[in-house]
Amino acid sequence: MRNIRVVTVVAAVALTLAGCVAKEAPSDQRGGSDFTASETETEADAPSGEAASTEGDCGFRADESGQPPIVGLPPDEGPVDAKTLTLTTSAGPIAIQLDSERAPCTVQSMVFLAGEHYFDNTVCHRLTAAESLKVLQCGDPEGTGAGGPGYVVPDELPTDLPPGQPGPDGQESVIYQRGTVAMANAGPDTTGSQFFLVYGDSTLPPSYTVMGTVDEAGLATLDAIAAAGITPGENGPEDGAPKTPVTITQAVAA
């Protein structure tokens, strides 16, 4: 599972809110789950005709599921030219200004997936409204929070976010500010395709790659989604599916 680990200062406890990265079939058939590839995996371990990893600076690698990456591995040829990733959603437009300087490999991956129509006709499966976590989570074609593209993107963790209050165990925290777009994960070097859009300042460990920011029109869309409410999930009334379903009908990088 891809987890967003929250530092809740007021309650002086750390909440673990589940969220995963999903795996998508090229057709409308969705299936599988995305986990980190074994450290000992080699190209010889990959399915016939499929490389286990790329040879560029990013070193994208197949996950440990043993199946080929759903749409192949991204090109690993350096920063891409795309500046924006525009999500057309059932709730309104969300334009993300991509940050290739901060997260070049993550942006390469997201642009690649958009070009492969990976995000088209997928749902944003999770909305949270806790005091210290206000995000919409998307990027899982299964809509369950349990899959991914079949490959792993290296961590490009932020070092310049404002500090937050330490957790009760002294755990470092930072503020992922309103408008930030970051990647969900299940621990170090397990990033796949799922991402979360922050509509209210959120206190988290600095464990999630920041890949861009949402523009003002996109924030208005996020605010409307949040205002419509949450269908409570297993983590309580502040964490579940958006009450009004949100579908990404198209994702275009330019």
Side-chain angles (χ1 to χ4, degrees):
M1 298 290 285
R2 295 293 179 257
N3 298 321
I4 301 175
R5 197 175 298 267
V6 186
V7 178
T8 305
V9 177
V10 175
V13 295
L15 297 177
T16 300
L17 304 181
C20 305
V21 183
K23 200 171 188 180
E24 179 192 29
S27 68
D28 288 336
Q29 298 298 316
R30 316 293 189 185
S33 56
D34 175 34
F35 301 98
T36 310
S38 166
E39 294 295 328
T40 60
E41 183 180 44
T42 66
E43 190 163 327
D45 297 320
S48 177
E50 293 288 339
S53 63
T54 59
E55 297 181 354
D57 292 339
C58 294
F60 300 112
R61 57 189 174 88
D63 68 27
E64 67 181 12
S65 68
Q67 298 299 314
I70 298 303
V71 289
L73 294 174
D76 195 353
E77 301 170 348
V80 296
D81 293 331
K83 303 299 183 185
T84 61
L85 177 63
T86 301
L87 309 179
T88 301
T89 83
S90 57
I94 302 174
I96 300 168
Q97 305 301 312
L98 298 171
D99 194 340
S100 291
E101 290 189 6
R102 175 180 259 169
C105 296
T106 304
V107 170
Q108 283 184 56
S109 173
M110 295 297 284
V111 169
F112 167 73
L113 291 173
E116 295 293 325
H117 305 287
Y118 178 90
F119 298 113
D120 294 0
N121 301 311
T122 63
V123 300
C124 293
H125 62 281
R126 190 163 177 232
L127 180 65
T128 69
E131 178 68 23
S132 58
L133 186 69
K134 292 179 169 61
V135 305
L136 176 70
Q137 193 165 334
C138 312
D140 175 2
E142 295 177 356
T144 64
Y151 65 81
V152 177
V153 182
D155 287 339
E156 297 171 298
L157 302 182
T159 59
D160 57 353
L161 298 181
Q165 292 286 343
D169 58 356
Q171 181 184 33
E172 179 186 7
S173 71
V174 294
I175 306 300
Y176 283 72
Q177 294 171 297
R178 172 175 162 86
T180 300
V181 185
M183 304 302 294
N185 63 53
D189 292 315
T190 60
T191 296
S193 61
Q194 286 194 42
F195 57 95
F196 57 95
L197 306 118
V198 181
Y199 69 89
D201 289 359
S202 296
T203 303
L204 299 164
S207 304
Y208 308 96
T209 298
V210 174
M211 62 94 163
T213 56
V214 179
D215 68 3
E216 288 300 319
L219 285 172
T221 298
L222 290 174
D223 289 341
I225 292 168
I230 296 170
T231 299
E234 61 183 16
N235 292 309
E238 296 179 328
D239 185 355
K243 187 165 287 186
T244 300
V246 180
T247 300
I248 298 172
T249 56
Q250 187 177 44
V252 177

